[in-house]
Amino acid sequence: MKKFSFMLFAFLFLISAKAQDFKTLTYFVNDSTELELDLFLPKTQGKEKKPLLIHVHGGGFAGGTREWGHTIAKQAASQGYAAASISYTLYMKNRKFSCDGILTEKVKAIQIAANQLWQATLYFINNSEKYNIDTAKIFISGSSAGAETALHAAYWDRDIMGLYPNKLPKNFKYAGVTSGAGAIMDINLITKECVIPTLLFHGSCDTTVPYGTAAHHYCPTNASGWLMLFGSYSIYNHIIGLNGSTKLVTYCNGGHEYSDELFGKDPQTVVDFMNNVLNNKKEQSHVIVATNKECKKGNGYSFCD
């Protein structure tokens, strides 16, 4: 009986310890929407304010859960960051996000998600004392649809694209952004005045979200869902042209399956990027990773030959 009681206690202790890895918090509520996030905090709490990472999961704006961001959040928290993985409105659920979809709905999906990322950011600004967060050191990241969310949240004009009455401070700027197989609709949004440190990773043969500049899903120009996108390689070269700080990791001949690669398998690279930003280390580097895969459509990039 004693042995059984001990094993039961140990089992319950492990469950309790695991449950205490993060706190689930409600960050946004209005008449029709309630949104939650999972917040990971460092085990050791000091007096110094902590930088924050807010992560947005992928899933084509139709699926996915915030649990997908737990790996990167845990890694960041283990090294002194507060880290949150958020839920957001999956606007494209039961809608088409492919070539036969509706363009305005695609744009709306990104706009809603970006606005909700801004609301998550505002939540932490308003509660910065409670969670001991340095509001000048807030990073954002995302995979696939989450990456498109993060990039647009970083570079859109919040006055033009805002949907909610509660807004971020006028002078607020993210400390940096990490994009996994993401893209932006208008590369001219990234200017010398607003560019921030940007880490990008992408498969060079991604047929869902273009690595370079192409239509989403490579849709024909007469498709109802035609949407031009500037992918990681285009963003990287644009930021280099602005003399900004950026790093690109290219998975040669890889497809969209690499959209979560650093977040899920090598999160330390993301943490190292944020650490470099906080230490004022400018970066302009392109890391090329061989995948031993074949790009059936041909990639056209000599560095992948």
Side-chain angles (χ1 to χ4, degrees):
M1 180 61 73
K2 288 183 178 180
K3 184 176 180 181
F4 173 80
S5 298
F6 175 80
M7 291 177 66
L8 179 61
F9 174 81
F11 176 73
L12 293 174
F13 176 81
L14 287 172
I15 290 177
S16 176
K18 185 177 181 181
Q20 292 172 5
D21 282 347
F22 61 88
K23 301 175 182 178
T24 298
L25 306 167
T26 299
Y27 73 87
F28 178 78
V29 178
N30 67 10
D31 291 342
S32 60
T33 306
E34 181 173 328
L35 298 169
E36 293 181 328
L37 59 81
D38 292 338
L39 175 63
F40 293 77
L41 295 171
K43 300 289 186 186
T44 303
Q45 297 291 326
K47 292 184 179 180
E48 187 176 354
K49 289 188 178 294
K50 300 179 287 292
L52 168 69
L53 171 65
I54 307 175
H55 184 77
V56 188
H57 68 79
F61 300 99
T65 71
R66 63 181 182 272
E67 284 77 15
W68 292 4
H70 281 194
T71 299
I72 179 59
K74 286 179 184 177
Q75 185 72 8
S78 73
Q79 295 180 51
Y81 289 78
S85 184
I86 70 170
S87 293
Y88 58 99
T89 297
L90 302 177
Y91 181 75
M92 296 310 294
K93 191 172 183 178
N94 300 321
R95 293 182 172 93
K96 294 180 178 179
F97 201 55
S98 51
C99 296
D100 58 346
I102 299 172
L103 174 58
T104 53
E105 290 190 337
K106 285 185 172 185
V107 176
K108 187 174 182 179
I110 299 172
Q111 185 182 15
I112 290 171
N115 270 266
Q116 291 173 353
L117 176 51
W118 291 335
Q119 292 301 306
T121 306
L122 183 59
Y123 173 84
F124 283 111
I125 290 174
N126 291 339
N127 291 278
S128 60
E129 294 300 322
K130 181 177 181 179
Y131 298 113
N132 202 27
I133 288 167
D134 188 335
T135 59
K137 298 175 180 177
I138 299 179
F139 295 84
I140 52 176
S141 64
S143 168
S144 188
E148 291 166 1
T149 299
L151 286 168
H152 287 90
Y155 292 116
W156 255 341
D157 184 317
R158 297 194 294 268
D159 288 331
I160 294 174
M161 299 306 292
L163 295 174
Y164 302 118
N166 297 328
K167 299 183 183 300
L168 288 169
K170 279 279 187 184
N171 61 348
F172 175 80
K173 197 174 185 179
Y174 289 107
V177 57
T178 299
S179 164
I184 196 165
M185 286 187 281
D186 182 0
I187 204 164
N188 295 307
L189 293 169
I190 307 173
T191 66
K192 203 170 186 68
E193 292 71 34
C194 73
V195 67
I196 61 175
T198 304
L199 170 62
L200 308 138
F201 60 95
H202 212 138
S204 68
C205 196
D206 191 334
T207 57
T208 301
V209 178
Y211 169 74
T213 301
H216 187 221
H217 286 282
Y218 289 83
C219 298
T221 52
N222 65 344
S224 59
W226 185 89
L227 172 64
M228 182 58 70
L229 291 174
F230 297 85
S232 299
Y233 187 58
S234 297
I235 295 170
Y236 170 78
N237 285 317
H238 183 72
I239 294 177
I240 291 292
L242 297 174
N243 198 29
S245 182
T246 184
K247 177 179 180 178
L248 170 63
V249 179
T250 297
Y251 296 96
C252 279
N253 297 337
H256 200 62
E257 68 273 12
Y258 287 92
S259 62
D260 201 52
E261 192 74 5
L262 292 187
F263 300 129
K265 296 180 181 178
D266 186 17
Q268 186 58 42
T269 294
V270 180
V271 177
D272 288 344
F273 160 73
M274 296 190 294
N275 288 340
N276 285 340
V277 172
L278 296 179
N279 289 319
N280 296 313
K281 291 183 179 179
K282 184 176 179 179
E283 193 167 9
Q284 292 184 339
S285 63
H286 185 188
V287 178
I288 298 166
V289 180
T291 65
N292 298 317
K293 294 188 176 185
E294 181 181 353
C295 189
K296 295 178 181 178
K297 291 188 177 182
N299 55 58
Y301 300 103
S302 58
F303 49 77
C304 282
D305 292 342

